[in-house]
Amino acid sequence: MTGGERTWTIYLPLLLIPITIGLGIYLGDRYYLWISLGVLAETMLPFVLLYEKRHIRAREVAMIAILCALTVMGNLLSVSILPVQMGTAMVIVSGIAFGPETGFLVGALSRLLVNFFLGQGAWTPWQMFAWGLIGFLSGLAFNKVIPSKTDGMKTWREENRINSRSFQLMMGPVVAVAVTLVVGYISYLIMPLGDKSFLGWRVYAFGLIGLVIGAILQRKRLPVDTVTVTIYTFFVVLLIYGGIMNLSTVVTASTVSGGGIASREFWDSARVYYISGLPYDLWHAFRAAFVIFLFGNVVLGKLERIKIKYGFYRR
């Protein structure tokens, strides 16, 4: 498979899944399970196409199954017992360790399995896409060193020791987000557009713009160290997962009430949901970042050891 074919294979689900979710909105909440299965099939599409021309080893499928199981169990423990968010953290770790395709697959499949315990609904496809997207972006953002078979763990440790707690390489995305948030606040002061507070959709919209600009500035240059991955986790969970799920709530509510996207009720409810959802999204992002700060480097080290032992390398 050529580089162009591989690129299209990776990005095709990112185009198809929003269309599928839009179809689910048009058909109504009764078809949420079929829409979820459609999203799952589109998530597995790159995995199938990328491996069609080479022999798939059972150990690769088993590794993805284990990552999904750990993500599901971590999320269920976080919901029921622990005040942290291990599920989201595992999705990000999976993407960093095994690449964007695996990160997307683990995120989307794990979210579907989690909801068999927590409850399926019209929100399931949105959650699958949001978790899959943060796993995909995590695989793209970080510059992973492919270790040699002779000094694999030594190479990985040296790379992390050199970049350990190096905030300089994270300054690009952080400064970009800060600048765009300031621009968003100035836009709120000049043109409030009916908003009574800056803490609403502007935080997500302008923050996401800054995150994208920062990611472009530091594309494939982010080191896998504790501080960098922790800060990355906080921003990506807050702005991307939170932004998508708040939008899903607005769309679902407008569909139930019969209002369209151009109606005044839609935008009024969007302001309310984004303001009310910000505290939860901040708490979600903090809990996921806290797990990464405590255990991220340890888990990534174990996954690197597994990759070296069994020959798993990002392609």
Side-chain angles (χ1 to χ4, degrees):
M1 183 174 288
T2 64
E5 292 175 339
R6 186 177 187 272
T7 300
W8 272 109
T9 302
I10 294 173
Y11 287 97
L12 186 61
L14 299 180
L15 300 175
L16 294 178
I17 290 177
I19 296 174
T20 304
I21 293 176
L23 178 63
I25 296 171
Y26 176 77
L27 295 176
D29 295 346
R30 293 177 299 173
Y31 299 95
Y32 68 84
L33 183 57
W34 291 106
I35 297 300
S36 301
L37 294 176
V39 171
L40 179 61
E42 291 163 355
T43 301
M44 297 178 65
L45 180 63
F47 177 79
V48 174
L49 294 179
L50 286 174
Y51 292 98
E52 66 176 351
K53 293 187 177 181
R54 69 182 183 91
H55 180 66
I56 302 177
R57 294 174 296 178
R59 65 183 66 175
E60 297 180 62
V61 179
M63 189 69 240
I64 293 176
I66 292 172
L67 291 173
C68 289
L70 291 174
T71 303
V72 172
M73 292 304 300
N75 193 83
L76 294 177
L77 287 174
S78 300
V79 170
S80 58
I81 300 176
L82 303 175
V84 292
Q85 183 46 261
M86 292 189 292
T88 304
M90 274 301 304
V91 172
I92 293 174
V93 167
S94 300
I96 294 174
F98 291 97
E101 301 95 338
T102 301
F104 198 100
L105 179 62
V106 170
L109 179 58
S110 299
R111 191 69 244 188
L112 179 65
L113 297 176
V114 165
N115 283 5
F116 278 111
F117 297 92
L118 302 181
Q120 301 283 354
W123 53 85
T124 299
W126 295 84
Q127 290 177 327
M128 293 172 64
F129 180 62
W131 254 15
L133 185 58
I134 63 176
F136 180 84
L137 293 177
S138 300
L140 289 180
F142 288 88
N143 181 22
K144 287 292 292 169
V145 175
I146 298 178
S148 64
K149 294 183 179 180
T150 56
D151 63 344
M153 284 305 297
K154 180 181 178 182
T155 302
W156 189 82
R157 290 196 184 101
E158 288 180 353
E159 179 70 15
N160 280 276
R161 184 167 63 251
I162 294 172
N163 294 318
S164 179
R165 305 186 185 279
S166 173
F167 188 68
Q168 292 181 353
L169 288 176
M170 197 63 192
M171 282 295 290
V174 172
V175 171
V177 171
V179 170
T180 52
L181 287 177
V182 170
V183 173
Y185 184 71
I186 294 174
S187 72
Y188 164 70
L189 296 178
I190 298 175
M191 295 181 297
L193 300 177
D195 296 334
K196 297 181 180 180
S197 173
F198 168 69
L199 300 177
W201 65 271
R202 282 185 172 87
V203 173
Y204 295 91
F206 285 92
L208 182 59
I209 292 173
L211 188 63
V212 171
I213 294 174
I216 293 174
L217 293 176
Q218 297 287 358
R219 183 175 180 266
K220 294 184 178 180
R221 293 177 57 195
L222 294 181
V224 185
D225 65 76
T226 304
V227 171
T228 302
V229 181
T230 299
I231 296 175
Y232 166 85
T233 299
F234 180 83
F235 280 115
V236 78
V237 173
L238 171 64
L239 299 175
I240 295 181
Y241 185 87
I244 291 175
M245 293 314 301
N246 283 327
L247 178 62
S248 74
T249 305
V250 175
V251 171
T252 303
S254 64
T255 303
V256 173
S257 62
I261 191 173
S263 64
R264 182 179 179 84
E265 291 79 8
F266 178 89
W267 295 105
D268 289 341
S269 61
R271 293 189 181 95
V272 173
Y273 281 117
Y274 273 100
I275 292 174
S276 61
L278 183 59
Y280 171 79
D281 294 332
L282 287 170
W283 179 233
H284 182 191
F286 173 78
R287 290 186 297 156
F290 184 71
V291 174
I292 292 292
F293 181 78
L294 291 182
F295 307 109
N297 204 41
V298 175
V299 175
L300 283 169
K302 298 297 183 182
L303 293 179
E304 288 296 325
R305 190 181 297 275
I306 293 173
K307 288 167 61 179
I308 295 167
K309 182 177 181 179
Y310 295 105
F312 298 136
Y313 298 109
R314 286 175 49 169
R315 291 172 170 82

